[in-house]
Amino acid sequence: MQKFTACLLLFSLLACNSPKQEPSLKLYVLDGGRINVLNARAFSETDVYAGQSFLFANPIFVIEHSKGRLIWDLGLPEAIAGMPGGMYTPDSIFHLTVEAGLSDQMKTIGLAPDSIDYIAFSHCHFDHTGNANYFSHATWLVQESEYEFATRDSLPPQAGYSPDSYSALSKVQKLDGEYDVFGDGLVKIIPTPGHTIGHQSLSLQLPSYGPVVLSGDLYHTPENRKEKRAPRFNYDVAQTRESMEKMEAFLTENGAKLIIQHNMEDYESLPKIPAYLD
Ligand SMILES: [Zn+2]
């Protein structure tokens, strides 16, 4: 009888202490502002978008893996949130607004900037690096070609880079191609050059949602994707198309969904913090 009671006690202890099964990978979607493209002409090599305007989402992603956290793309600077009416880029093509600052959003999911281990941008254009300097202790995962370009002594303003926005990043891990961030295939950086010299995308194997790719600016709209249109301001338009072809093959092979980061519909379809995708 004593033995039975002991067994029962042990059983209930084990049952009580069994840890709740936490998902091995979580994707948090944060808001990095809006970009109103007042004249979308430049988003194709032809004039098919001349006179049209686009409203772009601009998400920031936090990827939580059991071995660490990665923040992917850093949105527009949260300082814009304090500017009534937002701001215009000097060429007056883009109107930028930020509603919620990144710092407050991080608090919503209980994270301080120093809890982030890795920082990576799809590429270093200003709308993807705005809040990077908060993460100066994190390791910057960047294609070597992008790093060399982004940190050149002089960059023409039309290149779209804002070197001050990532100047505090000093722990740099230069990549040359694909990179498996946590070594188990769940979070992989995939080179997709063309939009910029070292543009990259992020492949995630989410346990419930399934495989998904965050495509940075490989595509800007579903129409761009369907018609294989590349912005005329891309670093290399032909290389962009090659990357598009490789990406489409990768998506088919892996049965992966694609999130076009600037596409409002894709953005709106994702759960918002504190909810997450797993
Ligand atoms: Zn870009």
Side-chain angles (χ1 to χ4, degrees):
M1 183 63 189
Q2 243 178 359
K3 205 171 170 188
F4 176 71
T5 315
C7 280
L8 205 66
L9 188 67
L10 185 66
F11 177 77
S12 50
L13 273 175
L14 282 173
C16 288
N17 290 341
S18 68
K20 250 208 277 163
Q21 210 51 42
E22 275 289 307
S24 53
L25 196 63
K26 294 181 193 172
L27 175 66
Y28 291 98
V29 182
L30 290 75
D31 187 355
R34 294 286 175 281
I35 303 166
N36 200 342
V37 183
L38 301 171
N39 184 350
R41 179 176 174 268
F43 284 84
S44 167
E45 297 160 272
T46 70
D47 280 347
V48 64
Y49 299 131
Q52 288 189 38
S53 61
F54 292 157
L55 179 64
F56 284 165
N58 197 35
I60 297 166
F61 299 93
V62 172
I63 293 101
E64 191 161 290
H65 182 282
S66 50
K67 287 192 191 155
R69 293 190 189 94
L70 161 71
I71 193 161
W72 173 260
D73 278 345
L74 271 300
L76 292 168
E78 66 177 357
I80 296 176
M83 300 176 187
M87 68 170 285
Y88 290 86
T89 50
D91 55 15
S92 300
I93 289 179
F94 302 104
H95 178 231
L96 315 172
T97 51
V98 173
E99 216 171 89
L102 177 61
S103 307
D104 287 342
Q105 294 182 71
M106 295 278 292
K107 281 180 202 149
T108 303
I109 50 173
L111 297 179
D114 64 6
S115 66
I116 300 292
D117 307 286
Y118 300 100
I119 178 169
F121 316 111
S122 55
H123 63 299
C124 296
H125 280 163
F126 72 95
D127 52 321
H128 297 257
T129 60
N131 302 289
N133 284 341
Y134 289 127
F135 302 89
S136 56
H137 56 278
T139 301
W140 180 14
L141 303 174
V142 56
Q143 299 295 327
E144 183 162 14
S145 55
E146 186 77 9
Y147 179 81
E148 297 306 333
F149 191 93
T151 57
R152 282 174 9 170
D153 284 341
S154 64
L155 271 163
Q158 66 268 26
Y161 287 63
S162 171
D164 288 348
S165 66
Y166 46 83
S167 58
L169 304 183
S170 57
K171 281 164 73 178
V172 183
Q173 186 175 344
K174 293 180 198 168
L175 311 178
D176 181 20
E178 211 171 284
Y179 183 66
D180 185 348
V181 180
F182 299 104
D184 57 4
L186 295 185
V187 181
K188 263 195 207 167
I189 290 174
I190 305 170
T192 43
H195 181 62
T196 62
I197 190 168
H199 184 280
Q200 51 190 11
S201 301
L202 191 69
S203 155
L204 302 170
Q205 301 282 341
L206 291 164
S208 303
Y209 189 75
V212 62
V213 171
L214 310 179
S215 69
D217 284 10
L218 175 61
Y219 305 105
H220 288 81
T221 65
E223 198 183 344
N224 262 162
R225 181 185 178 193
K226 189 165 158 255
E227 306 295 339
K228 304 228 176 309
R229 289 182 188 138
R232 67 185 68 196
F233 58 87
N234 275 10
Y235 177 79
D236 187 328
V237 168
Q239 194 181 39
T240 308
R241 290 223 175 75
E242 265 173 51
S243 289
M244 287 175 174
E245 269 172 42
K246 281 187 195 156
M247 175 56 72
E248 295 303 331
F250 179 90
L251 294 170
T252 307
E253 247 167 63
N254 293 277
K257 298 187 189 82
L258 182 78
I259 293 173
I260 299 176
Q261 294 183 200
H262 284 311
N263 182 31
M264 280 304 287
E265 280 171 33
D266 282 2
Y267 174 70
E268 278 166 0
S269 74
L270 297 168
K272 303 301 172 318
I273 55 164
Y276 55 82
L277 214 57
D278 67 10

